[in-house]
Amino acid sequence: MHGTDATGSARSGTAPWWRDAVIYQIYIRSFADGNGDGMGDIAGIRSRLPYLRDLGVDALWITPWYPSPQADAGYDVADFRDIDPRFGTLAEAEALIAEAHEHGLRVIPDIVPNHVSDQHVWFRAALAAGPGSPERERFVFRPGRGPDGAEPPNNWRSAFGGSAWTRAADPDGSPGEWYLHLFAPEQPDLNWENPEVHAEFQSVLRFWFDRDVDGFRIDVAHGLVKDADLPDLLDDTSAYPAGAHPHQDRDAVHEIYRAWRRVADEYPGDRKFVAEAHTPTPDRLANYVRSDRLHTAFNFDFLRCPWDADAFREVIDTTTSYLEEVGAPATWVLSNHDVIRHPSRYGRSLQEWPYGGRFSAETPLDLELGLRRARAAALLMLALPGGAYVYQGEELGLWEVEDLPDEVLQDPIWERSGRTERGRDGCRVPLPWSGTAPPFGFSPDGSGAEPWLPQPEEWKEYTARAQDGRPESVLGLYRTALRLRREHPALGEGELEWSEADEGALSFTRAPGFGCVANLSNRPCPLPRGRVLLASGPLEEDRLPPDTAVWLAL
Ligand code: BGC
C-alpha cells in the first residue's frame, strides 16, 4: 500500500495494486442520493469521491448498477451494457470511472453471471420460443415430474426459500416446462453448458474493460456450473466429496475463469477479479485464485468467525497457508450487504450465526460492546497481510437496523420465507451523511425525498459530518488506520509472525518494526513494549483493556 495513483505508476513496489488494496463497497442504492428520489445513484457517488479519497481507500466496488426490475436489489440484471435510469446513465458511469481515477480510486463493478432478470431479452425470448428452442438452451428448462409434469424437476431449493424451480407457460399459455432459479423466480439461472453464454459474458467484460473499469466482483462465482443430470440433492449436503455437489463449486467452473483471466490480461494495467465464492473448505477456495484464474476471493471464514482469539488465529493461519501455496493474497472482510453488520454480530453473547442468517429478537444486543469490538476488529483486519474490504457505513460504526417495520421490507427473502425471515434490509439502510434528523443528508437538501429505507434517529451521532475532525470517532479511527497502512512499510502484503500472548489475545509482528495486539478476552492483557501508533479504544498504563486492539511501532 505505498502509493495513491490509480494507474499504479506511483507505487514504490512492483506488486500489482490489488494484492494489498483496501476496497470500499458501495451499495449503490444506499450510498448517496444525487437526484433526490430517496435512492442512491451515480450522481451521489460522484459527489462523495473526495470523501472516499480522504478516507484513504484504494478502490470502489459498486454493486449492480445495470437496468433491473430490482426484484433482488439489482442482482436481477436485465441488460449488462447499460445503467438503470434510477442510478443514472452510461455517460454518467463513464464520467464516474474517469473522476474516480483522477481521485486515485479504482472502480470495480459487480458482474452477475449465474442468472439474469426474467426481463432480460434472452429470458423473454426463451419464454416466447417454447420448449426445445435454442433460446431456451441459454437457461435450464426441464419438464416437470409427476402427473402432467406438475412437480418440479428435482428437490433443489432457492437460496431465498421455496423451490428453485418455477413452472413457465408455453407460448400458447398452457402450463409448460419448469426453469431453474437458485435465487428468486425473477432470477432465472443461465446454462453455462452453452457456449453462447460464455461468449456473451466475455463480451460484457470487454464492454466494461473498454470503459476502463479496473476489475469485477463476481457474484455467486461458485454456482455457475450444474450437474447436467440435475440429480436430487442429498439431505446432508456435507456428505458430498469435494466438487461433487450438483450446483456448487464444481470443478468445471474454473474453465470459465481461465477464459475470463485471459480477457482481463488482454488489457493494460492490472485489472482484477474478486470472487464471491462459497466453498466447503479453504483449499477449495484457493482453487479460484490460482495464477491462471481469478486474482482474489473474499474470505468469508474471517467474516463468520466468532469473537474468539483461537478461532481468529486458526482462520488467519489456514487462509494464509492455503493461499500461499497458490501465490494469491488474502482478502479480509467483516461485513457486506448480505450479512448482519458486525457491531451487531459482535454485540451478542451468541458465538455462532449462520451466513445470511438473522438473530432472533430474543438474543439481547449490547451495542456498546459490539462497537468496541468492531473498532478492534478493524485494526486487526487492516494489520493482516493482503487486501481488505470496507462495507459502506462500517467506517461510521453503523449497526444493523433490526426494527424496520414489516411494510418497508424489500428483500425477497421476507416474502419467500413466508415472512418468517426478515432478510438483509437491516444492513442496507441509507447512509447518514450530515444533519440531525433523517434523511441525514442522504438526499439533496430540500428534495423532500424519504430514503428508500428509514434511518434510525440515533444515527445523528454517527453521520460522517458529526465524526469529521474527531480522531477518536470510528471515522477518525478508519482514516488514521488507512493512512498508517499506506505509510508503514510493514503493512499490506507480506508476512506476519505470531508472538506470545495471554489467553484470549492475539499478538503478531510484521517486519519492519510493526506490532499488533488484539485483546478479545474479557480481562486486560499485557501491552508489549513499543510506541503506540493507534489504539481502537482507551488504553490503561501498560495494559490492553478487553475488546481493544493496538498498533505498535517496535
Ligand atoms: C449477492 C446477493 C444476491 C445474490 C443473488 C449474492 O451473492 O451478494 O445480494 O442476492 O448473490 O444474486
Side-chain angles (χ1 to χ4, degrees), residues 72 75 115 160 183 187 217 219-220 276 337-338 424 428:
D72 182 22
Y75 283 94
H115 44 263
F160 296 155
F183 294 89
Q187 294 167 292
R217 177 260 188 190
D219 191 62
V220 196
E276 184 217 19
H337 65 291
D338 289 329
R424 301 159 292 176
R428 299 174 173 182

Side-chain angles (χ1 to χ4, degrees), residues 383-407:
L384 293 174
Y389 278 74
V390 172
Y391 175 46
Q392 66 178 39
E394 149 180 353
E395 81 283 15
L396 300 176
L398 300 188
W399 56 90
E400 184 81 4
V401 182
E402 300 184 26
D403 57 356
L404 289 169
D406 291 1
E407 61 278 10

